[in-house]
Amino acid sequence: MFNKILIANRGEIACRVMKTAKKMGISTVAIYSDADKNALHVSMADEAIHIGPPPANQSYIVIDKVMDAIKQSGAQAVHPGYGFLSENANFAEALEAAGVAFVGPPKGAIEKMGDKITSKKIAQEAGVSTVPGYMGLIEDADEAVKISNEIGYPVMIKASAGGGGKGMRIAWNDDEAREGFQSSKNEAANSFGDDRIFIEKFVTQPRHIEIQVLCDQHGNGIYLGERECSIQRRNQKVVEEAPSPFLDEETRKAMGEQSVALAKAVGYSSAGTVEFIVDGDKNFYFLEMNTRLQVEHPVTELITGVDLVEQMIRVANGEELSIRQEDVTLTGWAIENRLYAEDPYRNFLPSIGRLTRYRPPVEVAAGPMAVNNTWHGDAPEGETAVRNDTGVYEGGEISMYYDPMIAKLCTWGPDRASAIEAMRNALDGFEVEGIGHNLPFVAAVMDHEKFVSGDMTTAFIAEEYPDGFEGVELGEGELRRIAAATAAMHRVAEIRRTRVSGRMDNHERRVGEDWVVTLQGSEFALKIDADHDGASVTFDDGAAMRVASDWTPGDQLATLDVDGSPLVLKVGKISGGFRIRSRGADMKVHVRTPRQAELAKLMPEKLPPDTSKMLLCPMPGLIVKVDVEVGQEVQEGQALCTVEAMKMENILRAEKTAVVTKINAGAGDSLAVDDVIMEFE
């Protein structure tokens, strides 16, 4: 076995690989850019080597710099993680020439399957059903428009060397095809150093389901079930689960066997993923093969008990698979939510900055992974598991140079319903402050009826949140639970305030029993009768609830019991109440005396400033280009400028017809959130 492995990556995947390597007794080497000198993966490694400036194309994807780090460290093997150089055949070739093992597939398999154009041709030759498209290289935007018309809109414009949603655009007409071609080409060049583009038919109402394969260097191959990855935003997965709630055993077997056959046809070894589009009749179509470890691999590990990173390392060491297909059992259900540094209230635009608070839920092992002793912790049989793969820490900084993922929160349960409920509670208990994040959004998805039913497609987010995410309006039953809980919490805080020392003589503060709670436009008048074990809350309609908690003022997370059911609240203090986050809802809760509530209704509402005649920068980023000039009349929907952040280009468009009166920023300028880019009249 190897003595030392270099991880040619960063963030959570670098940390993930290090956990398994250390479990196997293998020393680890990290590489880092200037932006990552204080990163978690650097501190976790046994040694770390600096490789250059923050931009990935000057550090993490520069093969010569990574090879120098390998030489300095004396590493015998390299795990590439995902992204960066993980599917770069030139990197695999350089490692082979240097006598260093690549913890991934052979160079030939990467070339054949890592390139989407080549892989489609191989799949067609192998008799695999593929989505209609143009497999050749596309020279310019005019040719892209012509091909798109021949295929028929809508079309998907994709980077040949792409992954993770980078370099992908959906076009519904000629203008979008022209625009999407150039943006995809630019993103592909910046992210992968390869700007080749191809176009295929965009299949409406599809489900995205992928098969995990594992092959060794001795001709053995197995599949480890499937993953449902249909909930995507901007072609990037947000929620994944295993198994799929849609497939039956017959379809699963057919997809798995076809995936293994395809892998063997190209001499594949290591872990890999074959992706399919599946329609409503369970017809499946090959999309591509990712010749690397997938971001969402933990859900497969949780239902099979197989450590995929360990298997990759053993395969790279020349070992035969110790698992046969008949040994593979899918036990229970696993769900993964990707926590991103992005603001769901600003159409999911990237958010950067410092994590002033980062407290993930406690990890608990259960199910197949606990049986195989892969993760520390223990839980009785039948309990649920919580796993959090992360590459950040409290006080760390989210950089504009890399993917905005903060963590991957996973839960496992004996069945789908228990896994979902475990995820709901874990999300409610996940504390993140200092940056925008998508915790409210994924919490809302976990409660959405379409997700709960398992009846979703890749259009889920676009269909259910067409105007973006604006938070969740909770039902009256849940609002009552929160009202009762926050009233009890407020009473505890008030009692503490009565005990403050140094009070003036003859000024005793009394805490009453009657309160009025307002939240999300609802108002509840209630009475609190407290005792040593908790509080009985009675509403003005006679309904009563029992609230118990050990919450104390200042705690930013409240774990309560309301009428025998758990309630987890993220708590922030505001004047006269709390800012509460629960189940995707982010709300201000005011707890007042009846007289205070009466007077509050007389207060004028403070309106936000008028920014309707300004184009504000929606996220921290770099201006790539400005498409208009001062004095120019612009039409609704017209492109005004392009802002790049976290490897993604975002085109900002005019919301209405107007005349540009002032432009405050140009190409190359770095802007903060809400900086004024241009003004109109």
Side-chain angles (χ1 to χ4, degrees):
M1 181 49 69
F2 309 118
N3 295 321
K4 183 184 289 189
I5 290 180
L6 182 141
I7 295 90
N9 216 297
R10 63 174 301 281
E12 66 86 14
I13 189 58
C15 298
R16 162 70 188 93
V17 173
M18 288 175 190
K19 288 179 181 178
T20 288
K22 291 185 177 184
K23 183 190 73 172
M24 298 174 69
I26 303 171
S27 297
T28 58
V29 182
I31 57 175
Y32 66 94
S33 69
D34 292 339
D36 279 339
K37 63 181 179 181
N38 296 317
L40 183 62
H41 77 280
V42 174
S43 62
M44 280 184 63
D46 295 299
E47 56 186 290
I49 298 173
H50 175 255
I51 57 166
N57 59 10
Q58 298 177 41
S59 52
Y60 290 106
I61 63 173
V62 180
I63 293 176
D64 289 344
K65 290 187 176 182
V66 178
M67 295 304 297
D68 285 343
I70 296 167
K71 186 176 181 180
Q72 287 180 49
S73 66
Q76 301 159 306
V78 172
H79 196 300
Y82 54 76
F84 292 153
L85 297 172
S86 62
E87 295 177 286
N88 189 306
N90 293 330
F91 182 52
E93 185 176 35
L95 291 173
E96 185 179 354
V100 177
F102 180 59
V103 186
K107 170 179 173 287
I110 295 175
E111 289 177 329
K112 293 172 184 174
M113 301 309 295
D115 185 294
K116 293 178 178 61
I117 294 174
T118 303
S119 68
K120 285 289 182 71
K121 291 178 179 177
I122 292 174
Q124 287 175 337
E125 292 169 0
V128 179
S129 175
T130 59
V131 179
Y134 181 79
M135 296 297 102
L137 297 180
I138 301 167
E139 294 299 327
D140 54 36
D142 289 336
E143 187 181 1
V145 170
K146 179 182 177 183
I147 292 168
S148 297
N149 277 283
E150 291 173 353
I151 295 171
Y153 290 108
V155 297
M156 176 76 81
I157 301 170
K158 303 176 73 173
S160 180
K166 305 298 187 298
M168 297 173 66
R169 292 290 190 279
I170 298 172
W172 296 82
N173 53 51
D174 289 355
D175 289 341
E176 291 183 4
R178 190 181 305 278
E179 201 172 72
F181 173 80
Q182 194 57 54
S183 290
S184 293
K185 198 174 182 68
N186 292 344
E187 284 182 9
N190 291 335
S191 295
F192 311 109
D194 183 343
D195 67 355
R196 293 174 299 156
I197 298 297
F198 73 103
I199 299 176
E200 66 184 12
K201 179 73 174 177
F202 178 65
V203 180
T204 56
Q205 297 300 309
R207 296 180 81 113
H208 185 136
I209 300 176
E210 60 191 28
I211 300 291
Q212 176 70 59
V213 298
L214 184 62
C215 304
D216 63 23
Q217 300 172 14
H218 306 278
N220 302 306
I222 61 173
Y223 63 93
L224 296 165
E226 81 282 1
R227 295 184 287 259
E228 172 83 54
C229 307
S230 294
I231 296 185
Q232 305 178 3
R233 182 190 46 73
R234 295 176 187 152
N235 305 309
Q236 185 144 358
K237 301 161 189 171
V238 178
V239 178
E240 300 100 350
E241 60 181 304
S244 167
F246 183 63
L247 292 192
D248 53 39
E249 187 56 44
E250 182 181 355
T251 308
R252 175 180 295 116
K253 185 173 186 289
M255 292 174 70
E257 290 177 349
Q258 181 173 308
S259 298
V260 172
L262 186 61
K264 288 184 176 181
V266 293
Y268 197 87
S269 62
S270 193
T273 296
V274 183
E275 301 194 347
F276 295 91
I277 280 183
V278 184
D279 68 19
D281 295 321
K282 295 186 173 66
N283 298 309
F284 54 89
Y285 304 94
F286 170 75
L287 282 178
E288 62 187 16
M289 182 176 187
N290 290 313
T291 57
R292 54 170 168 81
L293 189 67
Q294 289 284 89
V295 176
E296 57 273 18
H297 75 275
V299 291
T300 295
E301 294 183 326
L302 286 168
I303 65 168
T304 63
V306 176
D307 185 329
L308 289 170
V309 174
E310 178 180 350
Q311 294 302 317
M312 292 178 76
I313 293 172
R314 293 193 181 282
V315 167
N317 191 48
E319 298 179 24
E320 286 194 46
L321 292 181
S322 59
I323 312 163
R324 297 293 178 260
Q325 192 63 57
E326 55 268 23
D327 300 326
V328 178
T329 302
L330 308 185
T331 304
W333 216 280
I335 295 174
E336 174 179 292
N337 278 260
R338 299 191 189 188
L339 175 57
Y340 284 119
E342 59 187 14
D343 192 341
Y345 303 106
R346 288 175 175 261
N347 200 26
F348 301 97
L349 290 170
S351 175
I352 63 174
R354 192 167 301 282
L355 286 164
T356 57
R357 191 174 182 87
Y358 179 74
R359 309 283 174 87
V362 175
E363 293 188 82
V364 179
M369 291 303 278
V371 171
N372 289 354
N373 297 315
T374 303
W375 305 103
H376 65 276
D378 194 14
E381 185 177 351
E383 292 290 326
T384 55
V386 178
R387 167 176 166 178
N388 188 55
D389 285 16
T390 189
V392 302
Y393 57 90
E394 188 168 292
E397 191 170 353
I398 304 299
S399 169
M400 67 178 288
Y401 295 102
Y402 311 114
D403 188 273
M405 186 186 294
I406 299 171
K408 301 181 312 196
L409 180 64
C410 306
T411 56
W412 175 91
D415 50 45
R416 190 169 186 265
S418 61
I420 292 174
E421 184 60 25
M423 178 61 75
R424 290 168 176 155
N425 293 329
L427 289 169
D428 281 345
F430 206 135
E431 299 184 71
V432 180
E433 293 179 13
I435 59 169
H437 56 79
N438 67 333
L439 274 173
F441 174 70
V442 291
V445 171
M446 293 298 102
D447 275 333
H448 197 286
E449 60 182 2
K450 275 195 174 180
F451 174 76
V452 173
S453 70
D455 181 23
M456 64 273 189
T457 72
T458 55
F460 172 86
I461 292 177
E463 291 175 350
E464 301 304 319
Y465 303 95
D467 300 319
F469 180 72
E470 298 177 354
V472 173
E473 293 292 326
L474 298 176
E476 183 177 351
E478 194 65 18
L479 290 178
R480 280 177 172 261
R481 279 164 47 84
I482 294 174
T486 51
M489 292 160 57
H490 183 76
R491 181 184 177 280
V492 169
E494 285 291 286
I495 290 174
R496 169 177 281 194
R497 282 188 277 272
T498 67
R499 296 170 180 169
V500 173
S501 61
R503 292 172 297 172
M504 295 176 62
D505 291 340
N506 301 317
H507 284 76
E508 185 175 356
R509 186 170 183 173
R510 298 182 183 276
V511 179
E513 297 178 342
D514 295 307
W515 300 94
V516 177
V517 182
T518 56
L519 67 168
Q520 283 198 341
S522 296
E523 182 176 277
F524 299 98
L526 47 82
K527 182 184 292 289
I528 299 178
D529 181 16
D531 54 47
H532 180 72
D533 298 320
S536 294
V537 179
T538 305
F539 291 83
D540 59 355
D541 62 0
M545 291 183 179
R546 182 69 181 174
V547 179
S549 171
D550 59 357
W551 180 84
T552 58
D555 289 350
Q556 296 187 38
L557 194 69
T559 302
L560 307 103
D561 183 287
V562 181
D563 274 352
S565 298
L567 177 65
V568 180
L569 304 176
K570 182 72 176 66
V571 183
K573 188 71 183 75
I574 61 172
S575 178
F578 308 94
R579 180 183 176 185
I580 296 293
R581 194 191 78 216
S582 178
R583 295 295 165 97
D586 200 334
M587 68 194 98
K588 290 182 178 179
V589 181
H590 289 99
V591 185
R592 302 181 175 106
T593 65
R595 178 58 176 161
Q596 288 171 338
E598 182 182 345
L599 295 174
K601 294 176 182 178
L602 304 176
M603 297 293 289
E605 183 181 356
K606 184 178 180 181
L607 299 176
D610 181 15
T611 59
S612 61
K613 295 184 178 181
M614 302 176 186
L615 176 66
L616 305 181
C617 190
M619 72 280 191
L622 184 74
I623 298 291
V624 176
K625 66 174 179 176
V626 176
D627 298 292
V628 297
E629 300 175 348
V630 172
Q632 180 178 341
E633 182 178 275
V634 296
Q635 305 300 316
E636 181 180 351
Q638 182 175 340
L640 300 175
C641 68
T642 302
V643 179
E644 180 184 321
M646 293 182 172
K647 301 191 292 184
M648 295 289 282
E649 285 194 355
N650 302 275
I651 299 173
L652 306 185
R653 301 179 183 278
E655 295 182 354
K656 58 186 177 181
T657 300
V659 176
V660 180
T661 59
K662 187 178 181 181
I663 297 178
N664 300 318
D669 290 345
S670 293
L671 301 182
V673 174
D674 289 339
D675 279 355
V676 180
I677 301 174
M678 60 183 73
E679 300 174 27
F680 309 92
E681 66 176 16

